[in-house]
Amino acid sequence: MIPNLAAYVTVNPGLALFAGAPALKRVVPVAVDRAIRDIIQPVVERSVTIACLTSRELILKDFAAEPDDGRVRKAAHLMVSNLAGSLALVTCKEPLRVSIGNNLRALLAAAAGAGDAVLVEQAVSVAAADNLELGCMLIEKAATEKAMRDVDEQLAGALALRRKHAERREPFFDASALGPKGARFPAELLDELFPKP
């Protein structure tokens, strides 16, 4: 995460609960941090796995005739980062809102004791809404960075093969990306549409 998360967390000073007890403001960054930690790992893992599988398959197929490993790697990074970030963002939004609310509710109950339930619920809903975008951004960033590392590992063999052909100054075509007719593409595909070197 980021070490000074508290500096980025928004605490609305106009909330009646925090106006009456300013010391309670310190629990909001703790609740946001806990909420992010609760959901970041499963969201990132799921998003990265899907994004890497999809990106690897499409990149190897679409760039079967591309000899430049730098272009293939850059295309893979662009695709996997956008896909993983978007998947993580869509997946994390509602669970993060709920987790921030639950953590903040628990911390406020422990710190304030049996305070006014209406004020606590108001503070919880406003703080969760105010800090949702920050949490989503951090989770999206974590997913993007992990996806780029993972796709590099998954494409290492294909990139090495391209470098080897470049050293020998041979034309490159990855026939394994196409497979025999009917294996990777439908057998009914017209010859004119079937990929060729």
Side-chain angles (χ1 to χ4, degrees), residues 106-177:
L107 288 169
L108 287 173
D116 185 2
V118 174
L119 293 180
V120 169
E121 282 307 312
Q122 179 193 26
V124 165
S125 66
V126 170
D130 287 349
N131 294 293
L132 184 63
E133 207 56 43
L134 171 66
C136 287
M137 181 196 65
L138 292 172
I139 292 170
E140 183 181 9
K141 184 176 186 286
T144 300
E145 290 171 356
K146 182 172 180 5
M148 286 172 48
R149 287 191 307 269
D150 288 4
V151 83
D152 278 345
E153 291 173 15
Q154 291 183 10
L155 291 175
L159 296 176
L161 185 63
R162 283 166 172 77
R163 282 191 291 273
K164 194 160 95 175
H165 276 272
E167 288 170 3
R168 292 190 208 150
R169 300 198 185 277
E170 296 174 347
F172 178 80
F173 183 76
D174 185 5
S176 67

Side-chain angles (χ1 to χ4, degrees), residues 9-136:
V9 171
T10 304
V11 181
N12 189 333
L15 291 170
L17 181 69
F18 297 137
L24 293 178
K25 288 180 185 178
R26 64 180 168 74
V27 301
V28 176
V30 175
V32 172
D33 183 60
R34 285 185 187 173
I36 292 170
R37 288 178 192 274
D38 287 347
I39 70 162
I40 193 168
Q41 196 216 357
V43 167
V44 167
E45 287 300 321
R46 184 176 29 239
S47 302
V48 167
T49 301
I50 293 168
C52 283
L53 271 168
T54 305
S55 298
R56 182 190 70 215
E57 292 300 315
L58 287 172
I59 292 296
L60 290 178
K61 179 186 73 63
D62 290 350
F63 287 82
E66 176 58 58
D68 185 358
D69 64 315
R71 279 188 180 163
V72 174
R73 186 171 184 266
K74 183 177 180 182
H77 280 192
L78 286 171
M79 182 175 190
V80 82
S81 64
N82 284 315
L83 190 54
S86 296
L87 283 169
L89 186 63
V90 167
T91 308
C92 79
K93 202 164 244 182
E94 194 53 36
L96 184 61
R97 180 191 319 271
V98 171
S99 187
I100 291 173
N102 291 342
N103 281 301
L104 187 54
R105 196 174 289 110
L107 288 169
L108 287 173
D116 185 2
V118 174
L119 293 180
V120 169
E121 282 307 312
Q122 179 193 26
V124 165
S125 66
V126 170
D130 287 349
N131 294 293
L132 184 63
E133 207 56 43
L134 171 66
C136 287

